[in-house]
Amino acid sequence: MAALVAVIYLLLALLLPSFSSSSYSSSSRATRAARAKTPLLSVDFPDPCIVQDASSGTWYAFATGGWWTPPPPPPTAAPNNNNNSSSADNATAATLEAAAAAVYKNIQAASAPHPAGPWTYLASADPLPSAGAWALSGPDAQVWAPSVARLNASAYVLYYAALLAPGYVGSAANEGNSSSSSSSSSSSSSSSSSASASRLHCIGAATSTTSSPLGPYRPQREPVICPAGEGGAIDPAGFADPATGRRYVAYKVDGNALGRGGECNNGVAPSRRTPLVLQEVEVDGAEGVRPVGPAAEILDRDADADGPLVEAPDLLYLPPSRDADADADGDGGRSRPGRYVLFYSNRCWDGPGYSVNYAVAEGSIMGPYKRAAGSGEGPPLIGTGDRFDVTAPGGAASVPGGDWLLFHGNCPQGRCLFGAEMEVVGGRVTVW
Ligand SMILES: *[C@@H]1O[C@H](CO)[C@@H](O)[C@H](O)[C@H]1NC(C)=O
Ligand SMILES: *[C@@H]1O[C@H](CO)[C@@H](O)[C@H](O)[C@H]1NC(C)=O
Ligand SMILES: *[C@@H]1O[C@H](CO)[C@@H](O)[C@H](O)[C@H]1NC(C)=O
Ligand SMILES: *[C@@H]1O[C@H](CO)[C@@H](O)[C@H](O)[C@H]1NC(C)=O
Ligand SMILES: *[C@@H]1O[C@H](CO)[C@@H](O)[C@H](O)[C@H]1NC(C)=O
């Protein structure tokens, strides 16, 4: 149906130049300009978020934690007095040197003068030295998918997912009985990373009262969101609604952490639920971040279209005036309420089905959100094999205002940082 409407629209636009609004022609320009992408940053930098330092104008991107190994020195002359060492000694020495230099960071950071780049990896930055008492520590914490939001001129909040320390949630974490089944799951070792109830992520918050988005951030004592019985929660996205001033965290219920194997550990029946959820929060200088009212599901998985999961939510607000004068729907410029665009990924991150999709809600951040690309509504916004030529793109993060979209995609280093220019007209998102 959507395709039919698009075809009719296209015909009208071609036949009747006056029908074609400025928004149509600019989208058309965008489509023509789209081309294969090269990484903005050739570093393993999954699940990016982006925030601007209001005072300096510098843009910062943050990503899932990882080991940072400085690139090897250029292969120039080695001023070495000892010319008698074997090549094996040589190789060992080089490996030891690299291992000594590699450092683990809970969260990685990069900066750029513009979302388009050039992006610089901030090797010395360590925004979240500790994931908090509730989480495991060091590399064991598996800190994933950070999201930074500005609170005021001298304070930022950082949301992240980390693995619960053993026993933290007690019996609540053991609903789901996956630990009892793990003893008999010798044939499904591929799911071992998330099959145990003691391997659940929850969402924490950390605040910084410095004027730089780089922190360092101090973690709160307790996780902010922790539905352990449902598999925990990952992929937080902090969002301040410009229409109401209220603050939210969107996230994914990580049901597949309690799944029974298969694609992303949720491909074997009975599958687990992995809804995207919105939680209003209050941020208080003394008490930190705390939930306000009940959490609300805003998008659920369609098993046929989405496979094992939906995840990586990101919200973008478009004010009413912006759409009213664009008139992409040919409705005569009738005033429309503000819109909320919910970007998300589906399928499994480690396969070519992973993609960037979106759904749109009119008037209320609570939805309903109507799928507009991917999930059975035509091709994904960005998917493997499209004109961007990025494999397994996902984890998208929009720049407030909607001009740019960052995402990750496969690269020799792992999952590199990519970006696309973006335009949202009449509830349709175009990237190029
Ligand atoms: C290697 O060491 C020997 C003994 O010190 C020296 O005579 C020779 O010039 C050295 N060779 C090189 C290539 O530096
Ligand atoms: C070079 O290494 C060999 C074997 O370890 C050793 O016998 C020899 O004395 C070394 N020569 C020099 C110049 O260090
Ligand atoms: C050791 O490594 C240096 C620098 O890469 C190289 O120039 C040298 O030939 C190597 N020596 C041996 C014995 O492999
Ligand atoms: C979980 O395990 C307990 C005890 O082994 C059992 O009583 C309960 O029915 C199980 N629940 C599910 C959902 O399998
Ligand atoms: C900024 O926000 C922080 C955290 O909520 C708060 O502690 C601080 O007082 C605020 N500063 C200003 C100038 O409003």
Side-chain angles (χ1 to χ4, degrees):
M1 183 59 189
L4 185 61
V5 169
V7 166
I8 291 171
Y9 179 80
L10 189 66
L11 284 173
L12 279 172
L14 288 172
L15 295 173
L16 308 170
S18 62
F19 177 85
S20 167
S21 64
S22 60
S23 59
Y24 170 75
S25 50
S26 65
S27 293
S28 168
R29 241 190 351 260
T31 305
R32 278 201 303 273
R35 61 191 188 281
K37 294 285 179 189
T38 52
L40 295 174
L41 190 64
S42 291
V43 170
D44 187 29
F45 204 77
D47 306 315
C49 72
I50 180 166
V51 66
Q52 188 175 27
D53 180 338
S55 53
S56 70
T58 299
W59 293 88
Y60 290 91
F62 299 89
T64 283
W67 289 96
W68 166 247
T69 306
T76 51
N80 192 346
N81 295 330
N82 178 9
N83 70 359
N84 195 28
S85 60
S86 72
S87 60
D89 287 346
N90 228 11
T92 305
T95 305
L96 285 174
E97 192 182 340
V103 287
Y104 186 82
K105 293 173 187 193
N106 282 328
I107 285 171
Q108 305 183 85
S111 70
H114 185 274
W119 284 93
T120 303
Y121 186 88
L122 300 175
S124 61
D126 192 10
L128 186 69
S130 162
W134 61 269
L136 293 177
S137 55
D140 291 341
Q142 287 187 9
V143 175
W144 290 349
S147 172
V148 170
R150 184 173 180 268
L151 294 175
N152 56 44
S154 57
Y156 289 84
V157 61
L158 163 68
Y159 301 102
Y160 58 95
L163 276 178
L164 283 172
Y168 179 80
V169 197
S171 57
N174 294 323
E175 297 170 27
N177 288 2
S178 52
S179 55
S180 59
S181 69
S182 66
S183 58
S184 60
S185 67
S186 53
S187 62
S188 61
S189 57
S190 64
S191 64
S192 62
S193 69
S194 52
S196 162
S198 65
R199 307 273 297 168
L200 296 179
H201 281 81
C202 281
I203 290 171
T207 47
S208 161
T209 48
T210 64
S211 58
S212 164
L214 284 176
Y217 291 84
R218 284 185 313 277
Q220 289 182 201
R221 230 179 248 285
E222 308 280 329
V224 177
I225 293 159
C226 196
E230 298 166 61
I234 64 169
D235 292 347
F239 181 73
D241 185 354
T244 62
R246 297 181 180 203
R247 291 186 178 276
Y248 297 88
V249 180
Y251 61 92
K252 171 219 180 185
V253 172
D254 200 22
N256 46 312
L258 298 178
R260 304 193 176 228
E263 189 182 8
C264 257
N265 200 40
N266 207 24
V268 175
S271 62
R272 287 278 178 169
R273 300 192 67 234
T274 65
L276 304 184
V277 175
L278 191 63
Q279 172 69 64
E280 188 179 349
V281 294
E282 259 179 16
V283 187
D284 178 275
E287 295 180 38
V289 178
R290 58 186 179 78
V292 178
E297 293 185 11
I298 52 174
L299 196 82
D300 200 1
R301 178 178 93 245
D302 174 332
D304 289 337
D306 298 317
L309 56 81
V310 287
E311 63 184 16
D314 177 84
L315 281 167
L316 172 66
Y317 175 71
L318 299 155
S321 58
R322 182 166 169 150
D323 288 351
D325 61 9
D327 187 25
D329 296 345
D331 60 4
R334 179 168 53 87
S335 179
R336 284 183 170 278
R339 285 192 177 91
Y340 297 85
V341 179
L342 172 65
F343 297 95
Y344 64 95
S345 297
N346 62 6
R347 298 284 165 182
C348 191
W349 65 273
D350 66 359
Y354 207 55
S355 55
V356 178
N357 312 285
Y358 71 96
V360 179
E362 291 207 11
S364 170
I365 192 173
M366 305 310 289
Y369 284 86
K370 192 172 172 305
R371 290 174 170 84
S375 292
E377 296 295 325
L381 180 65
I382 306 172
T384 302
D386 69 14
R387 63 210 190 285
F388 285 167
D389 197 23
V390 177
T391 301
S398 57
V399 168
D403 294 341
W404 269 82
L405 193 68
L406 295 187
F407 55 100
H408 72 233
N410 290 0
C411 64
Q413 292 80 11
R415 285 172 287 169
C416 288
L417 180 68
F418 288 85
E421 281 185 82
M422 177 165 68
E423 185 179 61
V424 190
V425 177
R428 302 298 306 184
V429 178
T430 306
V431 285
W432 69 94

